[in-house]
Amino acid sequence: MSINQVLPFVSTAIMGYFTVWVLQRYAVRRAPQFLFWGIGLAMFAAGSFAEAFLSLAWNPWVFFVWYLFGAALNAAWIGHGTLYLLVRKRWVHAVTGVLIVGSLFAGYLMLQAMPKLDAASFTTSKPVSEQYGTKVLKDGETAPAGAQTATTTYRGKEVTVVRGLLPLGTPVRLTTPFFNIYGLLTLVGGAIYSAYLFWRKRVMPNRVIGNVLIAAGALFIGSASTLTRLGYGQFLYLGELLSAILMFAGFRFAARPQPDEVPQAIAAPAD
Amino acid sequence: MPNGNRMINKSHIPENSTFFEKIVPALLIFMGVLTVVLILFAAGVLLGIVHF
């Protein structure tokens, strides 16, 4: 096995442990943010495992898991946990409803796409992130080295495409940016905002550092995914691993009691 | 983010710390800018401006 085949398995193991750690906290505290973080992290772990599997072999249902949980939903669900932590308003429950319905709809669209997958274009020599989408080549544009091309009719025009697993115009691909924008805003924005609040008040340095690490971890995977879509896929697996390590370290750091903290269970608000 | 322990926290950010006075604000600004760039990228994909 190459290093690029080992790294996603390491990321999966870290995210799996991280997921169990967060869900254990939910079992004790029953605070909704832990539930949403746990679900989102479980999605991240499932997506990471699927990516590791797809570096060794093809399976359409593993691709289903990779796309739906790894590429589309996980950031939004983790970020929604952060929204529950930062905003204690009723409208957050309405957003939860939209997130659940939107996720189910994305799952339905992904099921619709399954019979249309172009499995013949799949190769284990590239990350799945580099080959899931079919791309139209513009006039004068050449296909990347080693890419498989085909001529097809799209919106009434004959076009040359770089073949990918999901055909052109697959509706589920339109849902992904919505989830990722929401996830970036709430997960990274929430962590930056939390770090700023504690920093401005000059308190809880552990939470300042913890939230900086969480934001950095989320940005690592966001940046690595974006670079992959732009054709620089060599950073993806390392980015995933660094993201898993930084986010886990951030959560542990932020939850760590400080030396001069005084236990006072009665006065603490239920969170 | 994690807000779990039910304790009163008396800890404060150390005075005259280069890490907290310079590095943390710079990181927060950099990450904020990067977040905006990534959101604009995703929005560009959604609107069909960015093709990949």
Side-chain angles (χ1 to χ4, degrees):
Chain A
M1 288 179 86
S2 72
I3 187 76
N4 267 349
Q5 287 168 324
V6 172
L7 288 179
F9 283 109
V10 178
S11 303
T12 303
I14 293 170
M15 293 310 291
Y17 181 74
F18 188 6
T19 302
V20 171
W21 185 79
V22 169
L23 288 176
Q24 279 176 336
R25 294 178 78 86
Y26 172 70
V28 173
R29 300 187 188 283
R30 297 284 166 188
Q33 63 266 26
F34 289 111
L35 178 62
F36 284 95
W37 286 331
I39 293 171
L41 291 168
M43 289 177 176
F44 191 129
S48 187
F49 175 77
E51 185 141 14
F53 182 95
L54 291 168
S55 71
L56 301 172
W58 168 251
N59 180 295
W61 293 105
V62 175
F63 177 74
F64 177 94
V65 168
W66 175 80
Y67 191 82
L68 187 63
F69 298 136
L73 298 182
N74 76 80
W77 280 73
I78 302 172
H80 193 63
T82 303
L83 189 71
Y84 259 110
L85 177 71
L86 295 176
V87 183
R88 310 282 172 96
K89 303 277 187 189
R90 281 174 181 263
W91 60 260
V92 177
H93 298 310
V95 181
T96 303
V98 173
L99 178 66
I100 291 170
V101 171
S103 299
L104 290 173
F105 184 60
Y108 167 75
L109 292 177
M110 191 63 202
L111 282 173
Q112 297 285 308
M114 290 302 285
K116 302 171 192 161
L117 294 182
D118 183 4
S121 69
F122 179 77
T123 171
T124 54
S125 63
K126 288 193 296 187
V128 64
S129 316
E130 283 188 63
Q131 51 180 321
Y132 72 89
T134 300
K135 182 188 173 193
V136 176
L137 287 174
K138 293 175 192 161
D139 291 338
E141 188 180 1
T142 54
Q148 300 178 50
T149 58
T151 303
T152 186
T153 303
Y154 180 60
R155 290 178 180 169
K157 285 194 335 188
E158 194 167 271
V159 291
T160 303
V161 296
V162 175
R163 288 171 64 185
L165 294 161
L166 289 167
L168 278 178
T170 308
V172 70
R173 292 196 63 189
L174 288 175
T175 66
T176 311
F178 285 106
F179 290 113
N180 287 335
I181 289 172
Y182 178 69
L184 266 173
L185 269 176
T186 49
L187 174 58
V188 183
I192 291 172
Y193 179 66
S194 297
Y196 169 72
L197 285 183
F198 289 122
W199 176 81
R200 194 182 64 181
K201 292 177 181 172
R202 319 293 298 166
V203 296
M204 294 188 178
N206 62 319
R207 290 194 182 164
V208 175
I209 295 170
N211 279 296
V212 166
L213 290 173
I214 291 165
L219 282 172
F220 255 103
I221 186 61
S223 304
S225 298
T226 304
L227 285 172
T228 300
R229 285 157 177 76
L230 294 173
Y232 302 96
Q234 63 269 37
F235 304 111
L236 182 67
Y237 294 145
L238 187 61
E240 274 182 357
L241 179 60
L242 287 173
S243 173
I245 293 170
L246 285 171
M247 287 175 64
F248 187 35
F251 269 78
R252 295 296 296 257
F253 218 99
R256 194 172 72 178
Q258 292 294 281
D260 55 353
E261 282 179 332
V262 180
Q264 193 168 329
I266 296 169
D271 57 7
Chain B
M1 300 308 293
N3 194 17
N5 58 65
R6 290 158 190 270
M7 296 176 173
I8 292 178
N9 192 313
K10 293 179 176 177
S11 67
H12 286 77
I13 289 174
E15 297 289 333
N16 303 319
S17 158
T18 304
F19 179 75
F20 283 105
E21 297 300 329
K22 305 280 185 198
I23 295 175
V24 166
L27 277 174
L28 291 179
I29 291 168
F30 172 73
M31 291 193 297
V33 171
L34 188 54
T35 304
V36 171
V37 169
L38 289 173
I39 287 172
L40 289 176
F41 180 82
V45 171
L46 194 63
L47 297 171
I49 300 165
V50 179
H51 298 276
F52 65 89

